Amino acid sequence: MSLLKEIILQIFFALIPFVAFNIYYRDKIRNYSQTFILLTSSLCLFLAMTFASNVVDGVIFDIRYVIMFFGLVYGGVQTGIILLVEFVIYRLYLGGEGMPVAMIILACTFSLSLLFYKLYKANYRRTFVTFLAGIAFSVIPLVLTYSFFPNDVKEHLAYHLIVIPMQNSLGTWLLLTLFGKSVADKEMFIRHAQNEKIETMSHVAASLAHEVRNPLTAVKGFLKLIQEDHKHLPKLEQYINICLGEVQRTELILSEYLSISKPLTARHEVINFSEQLYVIREVMSPYANMHNVELEVHAPDSPVPVLANPDEIKQVLVNFIKNAVEACSEVSDAKVILRLSSEEDRVVLKIKDNGIGMTESQMKRLGSIYFSTKSNGTGLGLTYSYQVIHAMGGTVTVASKPGAGTKFTLIFPEAEQVG
């Protein structure tokens, strides 16, 4: 049992770089650094030598050769030399009659480690090189220790034939194999993250182009109305103001979608939700007309106060209305109805369409990034909308059946007053 404890302790020290790597680099989009290898290897070497095993006073055994080989492979020659210096200084400090032979063993194993390092880096059968290094780190200490202390080796033959080979060969194989796999997995993760980032940029670009069409369509529709009805000055001024507002909102759409993954802005104020709905109806009516969809809004005449960012809530309403319009654009007598009500301390907005509807599995995935029921959709619009609603303390529920339309219910906390 004592021999097993010695092996387990040294193997534990050998795996410190592997464990530290998986903890420190778990959520980072980068791989290990030379500094990381040097620090963890130095710590591991110090602990292994401090709590080394021995059966004869002054003669100690640990996994120093494993650590120095690991430092060479992943930290380079410079790291290996620093570990070599650390060992020499600390071994001189520890002293004992085994110090001279320890220096000779180190000279032999470090020279071989340089050779194994070159073979390993050349991708020359790395598993075989790792196995060969473990055998060398087991045989060389045994042979040289026997040359200097034959009687001690014979007296503790089981220790020298089991403990030392086990901790060196098993330690080398475990550390190099496990750390190598973790590094390979991290490289795969980094490549996937980079590819995902590129794909995200393309999706955002496509979504931006799609979303920006809404205000541009509205501007185009009102400009046509101005062209047809330019003699009515009151309406002309109203149409121009709406067009200017939509141009400004286009800029806001760009900034909102570019920052969709960032925390939502904390700027909130009390707004009249009822008034916002009628404004949005004016904005989205040309878009609905283009798709032959009737857009209805039913809201109380009295103010319905909610605490929100006006730009965010406007974009949310545009997203829901646009999706509803597109969902029923191929249906005869297509209609989208927005119904706002105030119930106790809650504001409830129901958005209903008589479009194509959704299945249960589709409804469960709504709001997930890049999920869309449309073949050319990105899902970013609803993802953003869900984030805004939840940030306001609101909720979203959906009821739908294929071919029977969809009804979204948006519930917000009611504010105390309208500013």
Side-chain angles (χ1 to χ4, degrees):
M1 183 63 70
S2 177
L3 296 181
L4 183 61
K5 287 180 179 179
E6 298 286 353
I7 295 172
I8 292 174
L9 182 62
Q10 290 296 316
I11 294 297
F12 170 75
F13 291 143
L15 293 179
I16 285 177
F18 164 73
V19 174
F21 175 83
N22 282 280
I23 293 174
Y24 182 73
Y25 286 98
R26 181 180 60 184
D27 299 321
K28 290 181 169 54
I29 311 294
R30 66 175 187 274
N31 221 322
Y32 70 91
S33 65
Q34 186 177 11
T35 302
F36 172 82
I37 299 297
L38 177 59
L39 291 176
T40 54
S41 298
S42 297
L43 175 63
C44 182
L45 183 61
F46 174 78
L47 291 174
M49 293 178 67
T50 302
F51 300 98
S53 62
N54 69 295
V55 289
V56 178
D57 290 340
V59 182
I60 62 175
F61 296 94
D62 49 59
I63 42 85
R64 67 192 72 161
Y65 319 115
V66 176
I67 295 303
M68 278 188 270
F69 179 54
F70 168 78
L72 278 170
V73 169
Y74 288 99
V77 176
Q78 184 179 1
T79 300
I81 292 174
I82 294 174
L83 293 173
L84 177 65
V85 172
E86 178 188 355
F87 167 78
V88 171
I89 294 174
Y90 195 36
R91 189 63 186 87
L92 289 172
Y93 169 77
L94 294 175
E97 61 178 329
M99 185 180 63
V101 68
M103 296 300 178
I104 296 173
I105 294 173
L106 181 66
C108 296
T109 55
F110 190 78
S111 300
L112 275 176
S113 294
L114 289 172
L115 174 62
F116 293 143
Y117 160 69
K118 291 180 180 178
L119 292 175
Y120 193 94
K121 284 299 181 182
N123 290 315
Y124 178 75
R125 300 176 64 182
R126 289 185 171 181
T127 302
F128 176 72
V129 171
T130 301
F131 173 77
L132 198 60
I135 297 298
F137 299 153
S138 302
V139 172
I140 292 174
L142 176 62
V143 172
L144 290 177
T145 302
Y146 181 80
S147 301
F148 281 80
F149 307 102
N151 293 329
D152 293 336
V153 173
K154 290 177 183 178
E155 186 178 350
H156 305 283
L157 191 60
Y159 175 83
H160 288 87
L161 291 179
I162 297 176
V163 176
I164 298 174
M166 279 287 289
Q167 66 186 28
N168 285 331
S169 57
L170 185 61
T172 303
W173 180 77
L174 281 175
L175 179 57
L176 271 293
T177 302
L178 293 177
F179 194 86
K181 186 178 186 308
S182 293
V183 168
D185 290 344
K186 176 59 70 173
E187 288 175 352
M188 186 181 300
F189 171 76
I190 292 171
R191 286 197 299 270
H192 175 74
Q194 290 172 340
N195 292 337
E196 189 176 37
K197 186 177 181 180
I198 293 171
E199 187 177 355
T200 299
M201 291 172 64
S202 65
H203 278 300
V204 170
S207 183
L208 282 172
H210 188 68
E211 291 295 337
V212 167
R213 286 196 189 100
N214 293 329
L216 292 181
T217 300
V219 171
K220 182 179 178 181
F222 283 115
L223 288 176
K224 284 185 177 180
L225 290 174
I226 292 172
Q227 188 180 39
E228 296 170 359
D229 199 18
H230 62 276
K231 294 181 180 179
H232 295 81
L233 293 180
K235 276 194 175 182
L236 178 62
E237 185 177 354
Q238 179 187 5
Y239 292 162
I240 291 175
N241 288 335
I242 292 176
C243 289
L244 291 174
E246 287 309 294
V247 171
Q248 184 179 8
R249 192 170 68 84
T250 302
E251 297 176 353
L252 294 173
I253 292 173
L254 293 172
S255 62
E256 291 290 355
Y257 272 80
L258 289 175
S259 61
I260 189 170
S261 61
K262 298 179 182 179
L264 297 170
T265 174
R267 183 176 69 88
H268 287 78
E269 60 187 67
V270 178
I271 61 173
N272 184 351
F273 206 170
S274 180
E275 182 181 329
Q276 282 278 32
L277 278 181
Y278 286 111
V279 171
I280 291 299
R281 183 187 63 179
E282 294 299 320
V283 170
M284 294 302 295
S285 288
Y287 185 75
N289 292 336
M290 285 179 60
H291 289 80
N292 298 315
V293 176
E294 183 181 353
L295 183 59
E296 290 185 8
V297 172
H298 303 277
D301 294 330
S302 58
V304 179
V306 294
L307 185 64
N309 182 311
D311 299 325
E312 290 177 350
I313 200 65
K314 188 174 184 181
Q315 184 62 49
V316 166
L317 293 173
V318 168
N319 288 337
F320 276 104
I321 294 172
K322 176 179 67 66
N323 287 342
V325 167
E326 292 174 351
C328 58
S329 59
E330 302 299 325
V331 177
S332 58
D333 298 324
K335 181 180 291 188
V336 174
I337 302 173
L338 284 79
R339 194 175 300 275
L340 182 67
S341 62
S342 181
E343 302 175 3
E344 297 180 352
D345 57 348
R346 304 185 308 167
V347 173
V348 180
L349 173 63
K350 296 180 180 180
I351 304 172
K352 185 177 180 181
D353 67 69
N354 59 347
I356 57 176
M358 291 179 288
T359 62
E360 274 193 38
S361 61
Q362 288 175 325
M363 285 190 287
K364 288 179 181 178
R365 296 183 63 190
L366 284 176
S368 302
I369 194 163
Y370 302 140
F371 172 75
S372 176
T373 57
K374 296 173 287 187
S375 59
N376 62 340
T378 65
L380 288 173
L382 275 186
T383 301
Y384 169 78
S385 300
Y386 274 52
Q387 287 179 345
V388 171
I389 294 168
H390 292 153
M392 293 171 58
T395 59
V396 183
T397 57
V398 58
S400 182
K401 288 184 180 180
T406 301
K407 182 174 73 173
F408 281 95
T409 302
L410 284 55
I411 301 177
F412 305 94
E414 188 172 11
E416 293 184 1
Q417 60 180 359
V418 177

